[in-house]
Amino acid sequence: MSQSNAVRREIDAAPVPHAQSFELRPLPGPVGAEIIGLDLSRDLTAADFARVHQAHLDHHLLVFRDQRITPQQHIDFSRRFGRLMIHVLHQFHLANHPEILIVSNIVEDGKPIGLGDAGKYWHSDISYKELPSLGSLLHAQELPAEGGDTLFANMHLAYDTLPAALRNAIEGKRAVHSYLAQYGQLQKEGNWRPNLSAQQIAQVQEVVHPVVRTHPENGRRALFVSEGFTTRIVDVPEDESRALLAELFAHSVRAENIYRHRWQPHDLVFWDNRSLIHLAGGTPDHLRRKLYRTTIEGDTPF
Ligand code: SIN
C-alpha cells in the first residue's frame, strides 16, 4: 500500500465529532453560566467548541455539569484553549499527568496527596509568571458534605466601579507579583507547603504586570492585583503602595462582585484568570475534598 493511501485510510478511520445539543444557562449574579448536556469525553465539533469559547468570554466562568471524564480527557479539552502550565509544586502533580495539579486536603500515610491550602488567599492563577494563566479548569473528584465552596470575583466589574480618585491613582501603574508573597505565612498556618528547592525558587522569580490589564479577547479592562500574589506597586513609596493595594483588594471582593460556587459531583469549572480572581472558601478538617486542576497559559498582560 502506498504511504498516501495509508494516511488516507487513517484519516477515514478517525472518528468524526458529532454536534451535541446542550443548554447554556447564565447564573444569577455577576459571573458565570452553566452548561447542561454537553459531554466533554467526546470530541467537540468546531461549532460546539466555538459556542463554548464565546460563552466563556461572555460569562468568564462556565460550570460543565456531570462530566465523567478521565484526566487525559480533562487535559485534552483544556489544551484546545492553549498550552498547559506545569505547576512548580511537582510534589502534587497527578502521577503520569504533570499537567494536573491535585488540590486536596487528604493525607495518606502521613503525607498530603495534594495542595491542601490552594487558594487560601484571593488570586489569579500563576499571575507570578511573565505569561500568567488564561484560565483554569477544576474538576471535582471527591467533595465534602459541607463547605468546600470556591468564590470568584469579577475584576472587570471591580475596575468599572472604582472610585475616580482610586482609578486616577493607579493609572499607568505596574505591580510586582510573587509566588512567595504568602508562602512563608502559609507554611506557618498549616502543614501543606514543602520547602522549595533552589530549582523551584529559580522557576518563580518575581515579575511586574500592569495594575489594570486589557483582556486580549473581549477588550475590557480589569483590575489585575490580588492579595495572594501582588506584593507592591512600583515607583510609589512603600506606605502608599501598601495603602493602595489594601483599597484595591477590599474593593475587588465586595459582595456584589462575587459568585460562590457550591460544587456538585462531577462538576468541571472553567474560569478566566484574566477576568476573575478566586478563593477557596475552606473545608472542615475532618471532611475529604479532592479536585484536579489544569491551567492554561495566557499572554503578556497589557
Ligand atoms: C485554586 O485556587 O486553584 C483552588 C481553589 C479551590 O480549591 O477551591
Side-chain angles (χ1 to χ4, degrees):
M1 188 175 15
S2 75
Q3 209 187 345
S4 63
N5 277 348
V7 169
R8 200 165 309 122
R9 280 206 184 161
E10 230 170 74
I11 292 170
D12 288 345
V16 180
H18 291 288
Q20 300 188 50
S21 146
F22 62 94
E23 202 187 325
L24 178 77
R25 284 189 202 149
L27 293 162
V31 166
E34 280 177 305
I35 300 241
I36 315 283
L38 186 68
D39 178 358
L40 294 177
S41 72
R42 291 167 53 190
D43 213 4
L44 301 194
T45 62
D48 284 348
F49 179 76
R51 191 172 162 213
V52 166
H53 184 200
Q54 191 56 51
H56 191 247
L57 292 177
D58 293 343
H59 299 281
H60 317 307
L61 175 146
L62 299 176
V63 182
F64 298 91
R65 296 288 187 200
D66 200 28
Q67 296 302 319
R68 319 278 171 141
I69 53 172
T70 64
Q72 190 57 52
Q73 287 164 338
H74 177 172
I75 290 168
D76 291 344
F77 177 62
S78 307
R79 274 212 179 108
R80 293 199 62 170
F81 295 87
R83 258 167 54 107
L84 298 191
M85 305 174 93
I86 306 297
H87 199 276
V88 63
L89 290 181
H90 56 77
Q91 292 89 338
F92 302 129
H93 293 170
L94 182 64
N96 304 317
H97 294 293
E99 304 86 349
I100 290 186
L101 175 74
I102 304 175
V103 172
S104 179
N105 65 353
I106 299 171
V107 176
E108 274 170 11
D109 300 327
K111 278 172 66 180
I113 65 160
L115 190 55
D117 63 0
K120 195 163 179 189
Y121 294 94
W122 284 99
H123 66 288
S124 167
D125 284 331
I126 318 205
S127 73
Y128 49 83
K129 289 278 200 183
E130 293 286 353
L131 297 180
S133 167
L134 176 158
S136 302
L137 296 96
L138 195 58
H139 189 216
Q141 305 292 317
E142 196 172 338
L143 296 172
E146 63 181 91
D149 301 346
T150 309
L151 284 72
F152 296 88
N154 183 330
M155 299 299 268
H156 295 301
L157 263 186
Y159 175 74
D160 292 345
T161 56
L162 276 178
L166 192 49
R167 191 185 290 208
N168 290 338
I170 59 168
E171 179 63 34
K173 293 279 188 285
R174 296 167 68 76
V176 176
H177 292 239
S178 168
Y179 182 62
L180 304 179
Q182 306 282 3
Y183 205 89
Q185 180 60 27
L186 287 163
Q187 281 189 314
K188 277 191 217 141
E189 287 170 5
N191 294 321
W192 303 106
R193 303 251 158 187
N195 290 326
L196 297 171
S197 66
Q199 214 178 10
Q200 285 172 311
I201 290 174
Q203 283 175 45
V204 291
Q205 296 300 300
E206 57 184 34
V207 296
V208 173
H209 293 308
V211 170
V212 178
R213 72 181 293 185
T214 303
H215 192 293
E217 293 186 88
N218 70 20
R220 290 180 64 189
R221 303 188 97 196
L223 270 184
F224 193 57
V225 290
S226 70
E227 61 175 6
F229 296 134
T230 312
T231 54
R232 64 181 191 283
I233 299 182
V234 296
D235 294 334
V236 300
E238 180 64 36
D239 53 347
E240 195 181 322
S241 157
R242 213 174 306 116
L244 277 175
L245 284 177
E247 268 193 88
L248 293 172
F249 297 159
H251 180 81
S252 305
V253 299
R254 291 181 315 159
E256 58 270 36
N257 288 355
I258 290 177
Y259 162 66
R260 172 181 281 267
H261 184 66
R262 297 187 168 86
W263 290 87
Q264 295 182 18
H266 311 290
D267 274 355
L268 175 79
V269 175
F270 175 22
W271 67 87
D272 192 328
N273 281 309
R274 303 162 299 184
S275 301
L276 309 178
I277 54 174
H278 62 282
L279 175 82
T283 303
D285 287 343
H286 65 287
L287 297 176
R288 291 163 63 100
R289 181 177 188 264
K290 181 168 77 162
L291 304 100
Y292 290 165
R293 192 184 96 190
T294 51
T295 312
I296 304 159
E297 188 174 80
D299 34 32
T300 306
F302 59 92

